[in-house]
Amino acid sequence: NYVKRMTALLPVTAIYAGGLAAAYTYLSIKVSLARQQTKVVLGDGTSHLIKAVAVDKKDFTEERKKYDPLLTAIRRHANFSEYIPTCLILLALLELNGVGKTYIHAFGAALFVSRMVLTFGLSAGSVSLFRRGGALSSYVLMLTLAMTNISVAVRSGALSL
């Protein structure tokens, strides 16, 4: 047993950070697999498209479709990494500042669900209901986490001189 009667500092945040890290690993693997499939080591295939159009005079539309799965995987991965760190920091600050576990779980679960919905929506190709709903819920959640942190700080006397 590697945990010997220790008190975890952020036990609730750790649950969501662990789940989100697993999801991020999955997205990373999807990018790697798409790179292998398209044989693109760096970037999103744009340089291959430019060569195909300019040098080889290939049809751009058909050539572009070859790289769509890679670009989608890259954007799903990047979008996830653009939001998760900030949200987890905000979640951890709430937990450190004594906000109740019920609220931390509610925020953590909402974060996890909103990001999974958006990730699924980004793979749909077009602007789907999942993509819109996931994006909107992510924005609302991040703003709510930010405002809750500000409220907790102000109520604790952070603005007192």
Side-chain angles (χ1 to χ4, degrees), residues 96-137:
L96 280 171
N97 285 316
V99 171
K101 286 185 180 181
T102 302
Y103 291 102
I104 304 302
H105 276 297
F107 287 138
L111 173 61
F112 190 84
V113 169
S114 70
R115 296 316 298 176
M116 294 306 106
V117 168
L118 180 58
T119 298
F120 178 75
L122 286 173
S123 64
S126 63
V127 181
S128 68
L129 181 61
F130 286 109
R131 185 174 180 176
R132 285 183 182 154
L136 180 60
S137 61

Side-chain angles (χ1 to χ4, degrees), residues 27-28 30-32 34 68-78:
L27 293 172
S28 300
K30 294 294 280 186
V31 171
S32 296
D68 280 350
L70 174 59
L71 184 56
T72 298
I74 289 170
R75 282 310 312 148
R76 287 170 67 197
H77 180 263

Side-chain angles (χ1 to χ4, degrees), residues 81-104:
S81 68
E82 291 162 359
Y83 288 89
I84 294 302
T86 301
C87 287
L88 283 177
I89 289 168
L90 291 169
L91 192 67
L93 287 170
L94 290 176
E95 190 169 4
L96 280 171
N97 285 316
V99 171
K101 286 185 180 181
T102 302
Y103 291 102
I104 304 302

Side-chain angles (χ1 to χ4, degrees), residues 29-66:
I29 291 168
K30 294 294 280 186
V31 171
S32 296
L33 293 173
R35 288 191 183 288
Q36 288 176 353
Q37 183 182 21
T38 58
K39 297 180 179 24
V40 174
V41 178
L42 185 63
D44 61 6
T46 306
S47 60
H48 296 278
L49 285 175
I50 291 170
K51 180 182 180 295
V53 172
V55 178
D56 301 334
K57 307 295 184 205
K58 290 185 179 178
D59 178 32
F60 174 77
T61 305
E62 286 304 312
E63 192 68 18
R64 180 189 57 81
K65 288 180 183 176
K66 174 181 172 184

